[in-house]
Amino acid sequence: SYRINLNIIGIDGKPTVMNLRQILKEWLRFRIDVTRRRLEYRLEKVDKRLHLLDGLLIAFLNIDEVIAIIRSEDEPKPVLMARFQLTDIQAEAILNLRLRHLAKLEEMKIRGELEELEKERAELEKLLSSDQRMKTLIKKELRADAKIHGDERRSQLQRVQPAAVIDQNSLMPSESITIILSDKGWI
């Protein structure tokens, strides 16, 4: 077996000497952290979209009243929020829709998207709550990456004889040497 020790800057930002096993462990911790942040980001986006869709569904189900409030009120936002228990973001999204788009929204379309996003949120929460599922996801991603980007080994591996200790005397040449000494002690 070979020993590999490399100077590496770890996740903590400090340079350190690591062997191959430590490098792989550090990389795996990094990969888990990146995957977790990616899933949390997606979960946040899904939650925001679900929140908006809830507001749009309320608007669709009460479309005539919403249109009447928008047309009659000088400040329709607080009235919508109070009447339908909408949040500021939901009321703003309803007001930013053009009335013709609001009228064209289909209940089934909204409910379908809500259902899909609910399933995705449940899956994301399952992944984020379980270390084992997270590792399984990373394993699947690595295998998919290997399938896409992997190729056959190009360099040949060969077995070599283990290194042997070299006798220092065998490195010196065995030639006869003539040394001349002068009477003044010089060589």
Side-chain angles (χ1 to χ4, degrees), residues 53-69:
L53 288 174
D54 286 338
L56 293 176
L57 186 60
I58 290 170
F60 179 77
L61 294 174
N62 302 289
I63 193 163
D64 293 332
E65 191 175 350
V66 168
I67 291 172
I69 291 171

Side-chain angles (χ1 to χ4, degrees), residues 94-103:
I94 292 168
L95 290 173
N96 286 337
L97 279 177
R98 294 185 179 172
L99 289 178
R100 68 172 181 243
H101 291 306
L102 191 59

Side-chain angles (χ1 to χ4, degrees), residues 35-166:
T35 304
R36 181 173 304 284
R37 283 187 281 140
R38 184 186 77 216
L39 295 175
E40 287 169 350
Y41 177 78
R42 179 62 187 150
L43 181 60
E44 184 181 325
K45 290 286 189 187
V46 167
D47 284 340
K48 284 181 181 178
R49 182 66 182 159
L50 283 169
H51 184 68
L52 281 178
L53 288 174
D54 286 338
L56 293 176
L57 186 60
I58 290 170
F60 179 77
L61 294 174
N62 302 289
I63 193 163
D64 293 332
E65 191 175 350
V66 168
I67 291 172
I69 291 171
I70 291 172
R71 286 185 176 167
S72 65
E73 297 292 330
D74 291 335
E75 290 291 326
K77 187 175 181 180
V79 176
L80 286 173
M81 290 171 65
R83 170 65 182 92
F84 300 109
Q85 289 81 38
L86 298 173
T87 64
D88 186 74
I89 295 169
Q90 290 171 325
E92 192 67 38
I94 292 168
L95 290 173
N96 286 337
L97 279 177
R98 294 185 179 172
L99 289 178
R100 68 172 181 243
H101 291 306
L102 191 59
K104 288 182 182 179
L105 288 175
E106 299 174 19
E107 182 182 2
M108 295 305 292
K109 188 175 177 183
I110 293 172
R111 290 191 189 276
E113 188 176 352
L114 274 168
E115 188 177 308
E116 285 177 28
L117 289 175
E118 286 289 343
K119 285 180 188 176
E120 185 178 355
R121 178 172 48 181
E123 185 63 31
L124 289 170
E125 287 173 345
K126 269 194 237 176
L127 286 169
L128 287 168
S129 66
S130 169
D131 288 340
Q132 188 58 40
R133 287 177 192 224
M134 184 73 73
K135 288 177 182 177
T136 302
L137 173 67
I138 290 171
K139 191 186 311 182
K140 286 178 185 176
E141 289 175 353
L142 289 175
R143 286 191 174 139
D145 289 345
K147 211 175 246 186
I148 293 169
H149 302 291
D151 57 2
E152 292 297 318
R153 182 174 198 87
R154 294 180 187 158
S155 59
Q156 297 298 316
L157 296 178
Q158 296 177 351
R159 287 227 176 254
V160 294
Q161 296 297 325
V165 178
I166 299 174

Side-chain angles (χ1 to χ4, degrees), residues 2-31:
Y2 294 100
R3 289 187 183 177
I4 297 175
N5 289 312
L6 300 170
N7 290 328
I8 293 192
I9 296 177
I11 292 176
D12 60 359
K14 297 178 183 175
T16 183
V17 176
M18 292 186 193
N19 61 31
L20 186 58
R21 185 168 193 244
Q22 290 169 321
I23 292 169
L24 291 174
K25 279 183 163 184
E26 188 89 355
W27 180 84
L28 187 57
R29 278 196 302 271
F30 169 76
R31 182 70 184 233

